[in-house]
């Protein structure tokens, strides 16, 4: 027998819960029901006891003196251990769900989201761009790498039970696997100015075949990589980042995911956030062995262009490409 309270509520027409449209939604709801049930149980218990005791042990006359009470150890242990157990269940249950939700599967399709007042801009790796709409195939894990052009926004899809802040100057991630074909609300869940309430859109979950049709039908133009490659040439990045005895910057070949030693002595693992920082504030974390000669590209590149450059750098695995010198010591 499977307990499915939210389905039951939906069938009774009580619109308390949005549809469970992602692989994670059920698990989130079970935890939520558990918390609600525990809270309800103790609220009822405590209120009834307060009422019962107030009546049962009321003062019956002016001269009445209550008998002194001594503690009962077994009772004390009883009402300490049970709440401890319950809160630990909540903690481990919640933490394990949280960890699951924070760890996108390795094979997830990566899409890019840029929030701005007051719209969501989405780029597919193949080059399709959407505004306030996100098309995804059913059954495939999708990872969103998100940033904001202005203020803090929050990407929220209730039917998927996922929500993540979208911050200026930083990348945040969110992932989900849609399990049901349909259209679902997308909201901004962080007050971001006058039209915050209008900053919404829809997630369209499609059958894989329909999705392929949609992909080929949507005007793609350049893929992210191609756009990034064009920017790379336009800004002459290769002048310094080509490998060779005269290169002034570290090679970018197969750089993503590599652990690199910094001038300061610390080592970091190169991720999207580090690449972004290095494009916009090149001297913030210098790779050991290199001088601070790179100019900043802050103000010259939009967040979308930075994402395109990163997609290009990610694709740099040319045959014969070797790990850049200085990238590992
Ligand atoms: Cu964007 Cu609220």
């Amino acid at each position: 027998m499977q307990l499915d309270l939210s389905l039951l509520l939906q069938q009774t027409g009580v619109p308390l819960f949005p549809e469970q449209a992602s692989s994670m939604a059920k698990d989130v709801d079970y935890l939520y029901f558990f918390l609600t049930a525990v809270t309800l149980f103790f609220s009822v218990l405590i209120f009834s006891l307060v009422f019962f005791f107030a009546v049962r042990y009321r003062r019956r006359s002016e001269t009445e003196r209550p008998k002194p009470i001594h503690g009962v150890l077994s009772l004390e242990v009883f009402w300490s251990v049970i709440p401890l157990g319950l809160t630990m269940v909540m903690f481990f249950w919640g933490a394990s769900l949280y960890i699951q939700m924070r760890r996108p599967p390795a094979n997830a399709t990566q899409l890019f989201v840029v929030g701005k007042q007051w719209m969501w801009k989405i780029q597919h790796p193949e080059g399709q761009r959407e505004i306030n709409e996100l098309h995804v195939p059913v059954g495939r894990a999708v990872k969103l790498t998100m940033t904001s052009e202005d203020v803090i926004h929050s990407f929220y899809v209730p039917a998927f039970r996922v929500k993540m802040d979208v911050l200026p100057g930083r990348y945040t991630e969110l992932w989900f696997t849609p399990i049901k074909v349909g259209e679902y609300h997308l909201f901004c869940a962080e007050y971001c100015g006058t039209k915050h309430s209008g900053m919404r859109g829809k997630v369209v979950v499609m059958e894989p075949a329909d999705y392929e049709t949609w992909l080929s039908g949507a005007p793609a133009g350049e893929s992210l990589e191609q756009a990034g490659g064009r920017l790379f040439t336009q800004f002459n990045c290769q002048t310094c980042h080509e490998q060779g005895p005269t290169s002034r910057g570290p090679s970018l070949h197969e750089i993503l995911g590599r652990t690199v030693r910094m001038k300061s002595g610390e080592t970091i693992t190169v991720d999207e956030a580090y690449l972004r920082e290095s494009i916009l504030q090149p001297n913030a974390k210098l790779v050991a062995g290199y001088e601070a000669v790179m100019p900043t590209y802050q103000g010259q590149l939009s967040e979308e262009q930075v994402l395109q450059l990163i997609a290009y750098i990610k694709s740099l695995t040319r045959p014969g490409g070797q790990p850049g010198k200085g990238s590992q010591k």
Side-chain angles (χ1 to χ4, degrees):
M1 191 199 80
Q2 206 181 14
L3 167 93
D4 202 336
L5 197 50
S6 79
L7 199 69
L8 207 80
L9 283 168
Q10 270 167 35
Q11 281 163 354
T12 54
V14 183
L16 265 185
F17 283 85
E19 260 183 275
Q20 296 173 325
S22 80
S23 57
M24 207 73 85
K26 259 208 171 81
D27 297 333
V28 174
D29 286 356
Y30 285 145
L31 175 60
Y32 199 78
F33 296 148
F34 174 73
L35 294 178
T36 311
V38 170
T39 312
L40 260 178
F41 173 78
F42 280 101
S43 303
V44 170
L45 179 73
I46 289 167
F47 274 93
S48 320
L49 285 179
V50 165
F51 189 73
F52 172 74
F53 287 152
V55 173
R56 174 84 169 75
Y57 298 108
R58 69 185 185 280
R59 201 175 184 197
R60 284 156 218 263
S61 76
E62 281 298 310
T63 54
E64 185 180 331
R65 293 281 175 276
K67 269 184 272 171
I69 296 170
H70 302 283
V72 181
L73 183 68
S74 57
L75 249 184
E76 301 245 6
V77 169
F78 175 74
W79 65 48
S80 301
V81 167
I82 286 182
L84 178 72
L86 276 171
T87 45
M88 284 299 116
V89 168
M90 289 174 193
F91 171 71
F92 284 106
W93 191 346
S96 79
L97 252 183
Y98 177 82
I99 290 168
Q100 260 185 66
M101 297 183 84
R102 290 273 74 86
R103 280 196 185 155
N107 62 356
T109 312
Q110 189 179 23
L111 306 186
F112 299 94
V113 175
V114 176
K116 66 169 280 199
Q117 288 170 319
W118 288 276
M119 64 177 80
W120 296 107
K121 298 189 287 186
I122 288 144
Q123 298 187 87
H124 293 252
E126 296 86 357
Q128 289 79 1
R129 291 149 170 273
E130 307 187 67
I131 287 185
N132 292 342
E133 278 189 20
L134 168 58
H135 287 76
V136 286
V138 71
R140 200 195 296 167
V142 173
K143 174 171 96 169
L144 304 179
T145 300
M146 312 189 290
T147 189
S148 164
E149 254 174 57
D150 36 46
V151 299
I152 300 178
H153 304 277
S154 185
F155 192 97
Y156 178 34
V157 185
F160 294 169
R161 308 294 189 275
V162 290
K163 176 158 72 174
M164 189 65 203
D165 280 2
V166 177
L167 306 155
R170 220 193 280 184
Y171 288 146
T172 51
E173 264 181 12
L174 174 154
W175 79 274
F176 53 81
T177 303
I179 53 167
K180 242 190 227 173
V181 171
E183 289 187 6
Y184 306 100
H185 289 297
L186 156 64
F187 293 115
C188 175
E190 181 71 47
Y191 180 69
C192 56
T194 323
K195 291 188 186 139
H196 155 72
S197 64
M199 188 169 167
R200 56 210 164 93
K202 60 180 177 187
V203 181
V204 184
V205 179
M206 313 170 88
E207 292 292 352
D210 296 341
Y211 177 70
E212 292 307 323
T213 315
W214 176 84
L215 263 190
S216 54
E222 294 171 302
S223 73
L224 276 189
E225 272 172 45
Q226 285 165 345
R230 191 170 44 72
L231 288 167
F232 199 81
T233 316
Q234 185 186 329
F235 286 95
N236 281 318
C237 309
Q238 71 280 4
T239 319
C240 297
H241 289 289
E242 275 302 310
Q243 277 171 272
T246 57
S247 64
R248 277 168 286 180
S251 163
L252 302 176
H253 289 240
E254 295 169 30
I255 189 85
L256 209 70
R258 185 114 45 90
T259 304
V260 172
R261 183 175 297 281
M262 298 289 113
K263 204 170 189 177
S264 62
E266 62 171 336
T267 55
I268 63 158
T269 301
V270 176
D271 57 5
E272 283 99 343
Y274 174 70
L275 289 179
R276 180 186 180 281
E277 184 187 61
S278 297
I279 293 169
L280 301 178
Q281 296 154 42
N283 303 331
K285 294 198 190 85
L286 270 182
V287 175
Y290 292 95
E291 294 306 316
V293 292
M294 178 170 160
T296 171
Y297 289 90
Q298 190 105 52
Q300 299 184 51
L301 292 165
S302 70
E303 289 294 348
E304 282 152 299
Q305 289 175 318
V306 174
L307 287 169
Q308 291 164 356
L309 271 174
I310 290 173
Y312 173 70
I313 292 169
K314 221 173 164 175
S315 75
L316 283 179
T317 46
R318 278 179 227 160
Q322 278 174 9
K325 63 166 196 165
S327 58
Q328 259 171 336
K329 277 228 161 150

